[in-house]
Amino acid sequence: MGSGKLKVADFHCDVLSKLQASPDIDFTKDSRLDVTLERLLAGGVELQIFAIFLSAQREKVSFERILGQIESFRAQVATPGGLQWLRWKEETTEMADGPTGWGMLSLEGVDGLEGNLFYAQLCFELGVRFMGLTWNYANWAADGVLEPRNGGFTEQGRRLIEWCNRSGMLLDVSHLAPAGFWELAERNTRPFIASHSNAAAICGHPRNLSDEQIRALVAMDGRIGLTFVPWFVRDGGGAKAEDVLRHIEHVCSLGGSRQIMFGSDFDGIDAWVEGLEHPGKYAEFAELLLAHYPEEDVRGWLHGNALTFLATNLPSKSSHP
């Protein structure tokens, strides 16, 4: 990762849907991507989470399309000379020792599972480790944050929660309607994350978290991936890197310093926070943070808090022979 450079873990990008749409894209350095291997290395990103994204609002969803994005990750990202594939708790100790970057798979919205828990099991066996339950709208499992009725989980969705708790699949509440957030907080047996959400008290977008939700994530020792979507950072957009600090300070004021991480949403946006246009900018962002906060806190936000969560909550390979 380079000497003197602070390590980074980024919990959300949308590269895979671009690779699926345009198989000729070169993940190493293609200008059509925000996140490339070159930029990850330049920014000190030790771990990047790659979301598998498809939504019934945008396209015909199917399990086949999920498999296609897993294959894009296997064929173009987790390759010899590329990123190593993080799947198990035991591998988190290897991350600290090696110079190479790592990648991990998440599912952004369960629409493509088609209500079938066998498909969920296949995703787990194929290396998916985080499951975001919805995108912005309703699906077979639950309501998304922009669904006007603000419903919780369906019966199928509740069975999915039970399966996740048994299997070791971790859950992500970014995009989940508030009613679903609180139902999951009651039903889930392990802490969950919001992979790419900010503080609603600082920017009022409905995708951001209320103070009550932030306090709940802190209490369960979940994680909050502060995101670089301009209209989630600053009301009206037009955000600069310095504006992210207001969200950091607000979460810290609610006791959440040890729960903060980052989930950029690179490649899922078509406008960028000034100074945070791609992962190569993380090195400059680290310098900005160090100018305002103690190094121990900055290391936690950039990398340590995320790694601690994974080392604690990822499934163990020994229990999945």
Side-chain angles (χ1 to χ4, degrees):
M1 291 286 103
S3 61
K5 191 178 292 177
L6 296 190
K7 293 179 179 179
V8 175
D10 184 311
F11 255 68
H12 193 87
C13 78
D14 283 299
V15 166
L16 298 182
S17 52
K18 287 186 175 180
L19 293 180
Q20 186 175 45
S22 303
D24 63 315
I25 287 177
D26 175 9
F27 174 67
T28 305
K29 56 183 179 183
D30 203 296
S31 61
R32 289 171 285 180
L33 297 176
D34 299 336
V35 176
T36 64
L37 182 61
E38 276 191 354
R39 287 171 169 173
L40 291 173
L41 295 174
V45 181
E46 182 183 51
L47 174 64
Q48 177 68 61
I49 312 300
F50 292 81
I52 300 162
F53 173 64
L54 45 150
S55 166
Q57 295 292 317
R58 295 187 170 189
E59 61 193 323
K60 185 179 186 305
V61 299
S62 66
F63 187 61
E64 183 180 4
R65 289 188 62 78
I66 290 177
L67 293 176
Q69 291 189 35
I70 294 174
E71 175 58 18
S72 293
F73 179 79
R74 188 200 65 78
Q76 300 183 62
V77 178
T79 59
L83 300 181
Q84 294 191 70
W85 192 338
L86 180 63
R87 285 171 272 213
W88 304 107
K89 176 183 295 190
E90 291 84 350
E91 292 167 338
T92 60
T93 56
E94 297 176 32
M95 290 175 63
D97 301 330
T100 59
W102 292 71
M104 187 162 59
L105 285 172
S106 68
L107 186 60
E108 184 173 20
V110 299
D111 307 47
L113 297 180
E114 304 174 35
N116 189 331
L117 294 185
F118 176 63
Y119 288 166
Q121 181 66 39
L122 280 176
C123 280
F124 183 88
E125 291 175 9
L126 291 170
V128 177
R129 288 296 177 266
F130 280 88
M131 192 172 280
L133 293 151
T134 61
W135 190 55
N136 286 330
Y137 302 98
N139 61 23
W140 60 266
D143 276 8
V145 73
L146 299 186
E147 196 66 44
R149 67 186 173 187
N150 181 31
F153 284 82
T154 65
E155 281 304 311
Q156 281 180 301
R158 291 172 187 137
R159 285 194 288 273
L160 177 65
I161 295 170
E162 292 170 1
W163 173 82
C164 288
N165 285 325
R166 290 195 306 272
S167 68
M169 183 75 79
L170 296 165
L171 289 170
D172 178 1
V173 297
S174 282
H175 290 289
L176 187 63
F181 178 102
W182 294 112
E183 183 175 353
L184 184 64
E186 289 184 9
R187 291 179 177 274
N188 214 42
T189 59
R190 291 171 303 147
F192 50 76
I193 69 167
S195 64
H196 57 307
S197 298
N198 288 343
I202 302 301
C203 176
H205 195 284
R207 273 274 285 101
N208 286 340
L209 300 165
S210 69
D211 284 2
E212 292 74 21
Q213 289 175 312
I214 293 169
R215 288 191 183 99
L217 283 160
V218 171
M220 71 177 72
D221 199 23
R223 293 293 183 270
I224 302 161
L226 298 179
T227 191
F228 306 151
V229 181
W231 46 97
F232 296 2
V233 173
R234 183 185 174 111
D235 287 316
K240 299 181 178 181
E242 290 82 355
D243 292 314
V244 178
L245 307 191
R246 298 169 63 219
H247 293 272
I248 292 173
E249 290 177 6
H250 188 74
V251 174
C252 288
S253 77
L254 299 172
S257 179
R258 293 179 182 273
Q259 283 69 45
I260 291 172
M261 57 184 190
F262 294 104
S264 63
D265 210 3
F266 288 140
D267 288 297
I269 48 180
D270 54 12
W272 297 266
V273 172
E274 185 180 324
L276 285 167
E277 294 85 1
H278 58 74
K281 299 284 189 173
Y282 263 119
E284 294 173 30
F285 186 53
E287 292 303 316
L288 173 67
L289 293 174
L290 288 168
H292 290 84
Y293 307 107
E295 183 175 336
E296 182 182 0
D297 291 342
V298 173
R299 286 184 181 276
W301 303 335
L302 287 171
H303 176 262
N305 293 346
L307 192 63
T308 301
F309 184 88
L310 295 173
T312 304
N313 294 294
L314 272 177
S316 172
K317 191 172 185 179
S318 62
S319 61
H320 290 79

